[in-house]
Amino acid sequence: MSKLPELSGRDCAQALTRVGFYFKRQTGSHMVLRRDDPFAQVVVPDHRVLDRGTLRAIIRQSGLSVGEFLELL
């Protein structure tokens, strides 16, 4: 397993926009990002530092590998 860096929710969302995700809506501190083709929707907490388990779950739900995600940063 690759070691994940400490990221904020906004940094994570910016990386996901590079692969086709766009901001759909926000409820409280949770941003909903969506990609239409292939369809995927992820919820990214707008926190200063995301827990590593939360970040790993976001990466998995987006359909990316950890290595692909790290290249986007």
Side-chain angles (χ1 to χ4, degrees):
M1 274 198 197
S2 298
K3 184 168 175 153
L4 293 172
E6 286 190 357
L7 286 180
S8 69
R10 291 185 189 226
D11 291 339
C12 178
Q14 284 179 345
L16 291 174
T17 58
R18 294 185 184 109
V19 289
F21 282 86
Y22 59 92
F23 180 82
K24 180 72 174 167
R25 62 187 158 86
Q26 182 167 353
T27 304
S29 66
H30 290 81
M31 300 178 285
V32 177
L33 301 171
R34 179 178 280 181
R35 179 180 62 198
D36 293 328
D37 189 32
F39 180 80
Q41 182 169 302
V42 295
V43 177
V44 180
D46 190 10
H47 297 162
R48 287 187 181 148
V49 177
L50 292 176
D51 290 334
R52 294 194 201 284
T54 303
L55 180 56
R56 193 170 294 278
I58 290 168
I59 294 169
R60 184 174 47 246
Q61 290 170 7
S62 69
L64 300 171
S65 70
V66 173
E68 292 170 336
F69 181 79
L70 292 176
E71 289 177 6
L72 298 172
L73 298 176

